[in-house]
Amino acid sequence: MTIHVIHFMGSINQATAGQLQDLTLKALTSGASELRYHMSTDGGSTGYAFALYNLIRSLPIPVTMHNVGNVESMGNILYLAADTRLAGPHSRFLIHPLNWGFAAGVTIDHARLNEHSASLDNDFERYVNIFNERTEGAAEQIDIRNCLKNSARVLTAESATASRLATRIENAALPADAVTWWVNA
């Protein structure tokens, strides 16, 4: 049994998503029988987070996500991809309203603004569906719709476990014989 640990500390963007995908596939082709991700992220792109979620859900081996600091915003979607989701004792999670920024000087017409609005609404529904599916049966239900539209919510490791965002609280450990990979954020 070969455990591979991928360390991801940074934002979810085109560069880091590409690296995370590349390292995940390299771990698989290098004989990983289990993948563990040690992560701390401030979130980032909705598109890349959903793509990474689907990649990780498709993997044919056991996957563990471990919050080793903060998992925020779209990082929660990436985190929810694993069946085993660990939270470090002093870690935290942030769920907050979705937003979409435009680069300075970008002008858009009415049709494009409607397209962006429809896309943001779709991202909202995808987030809600994934969150509810992956936390089903929680002792403490989180009103995810309210968190994503109105009021941010910070969860400790304990409250994340009660809401089934995390499956248990555990300190991060690196097995002595693990193969390690780093995403250069």
Side-chain angles (χ1 to χ4, degrees):
M1 180 167 165
T2 305
I3 298 170
H4 287 239
V5 179
I6 298 174
H7 302 273
F8 178 70
M9 314 292 172
S11 297
I12 301 168
N13 56 47
Q14 181 178 12
T16 58
Q19 288 180 53
L20 192 61
Q21 176 183 334
D22 183 55
L23 295 177
T24 297
L25 298 175
K26 283 181 179 173
L28 281 179
T29 59
S30 297
S33 58
E34 178 184 342
L35 265 173
R36 297 181 187 176
Y37 296 85
H38 287 187
M39 66 182 294
S40 184
T41 178
D42 59 355
S45 166
T46 56
Y48 292 114
F50 288 126
L52 290 170
Y53 172 87
N54 288 313
L55 169 69
I56 291 167
R57 294 295 300 151
S58 75
L59 297 177
I61 59 175
V63 175
T64 299
M65 290 285 179
H66 201 135
N67 179 347
V68 297
N70 299 327
V71 171
E72 301 178 355
S73 193
M74 288 307 294
N76 290 298
I77 293 299
L78 177 56
Y79 182 79
L80 284 166
D83 289 328
T84 302
R85 300 181 300 273
L86 307 177
H90 302 289
S91 63
R92 77 157 196 229
F93 299 82
L94 171 66
I95 304 169
H96 68 121
L98 291 180
N99 60 67
W100 203 344
F102 295 96
V106 170
T107 58
I108 58 173
D109 59 27
H110 186 76
R112 181 65 61 151
L113 186 58
N114 284 336
E115 176 187 324
H116 288 306
S117 178
S119 292
L120 186 58
D121 287 345
N122 180 263
D123 287 345
F124 174 86
E125 291 302 327
R126 289 194 292 171
Y127 195 119
V128 167
N129 290 338
I130 289 170
F131 190 91
N132 287 337
E133 174 186 304
R134 303 296 290 153
T135 63
E136 187 175 10
E140 178 188 317
Q141 296 290 321
I142 291 179
D143 182 355
I144 191 65
R145 289 182 177 279
N146 185 54
C147 294
L148 295 177
K149 280 203 174 178
N150 300 311
S151 301
R153 175 128 184 228
V154 175
L155 292 96
T156 63
E158 292 79 15
S159 57
T161 304
S163 68
R164 287 186 44 107
L165 178 56
T167 54
R168 70 179 183 271
I169 299 169
E170 187 175 296
N171 282 309
L174 189 61
D177 59 346
V179 177
T180 59
W181 307 84
W182 286 90
V183 173
N184 296 314

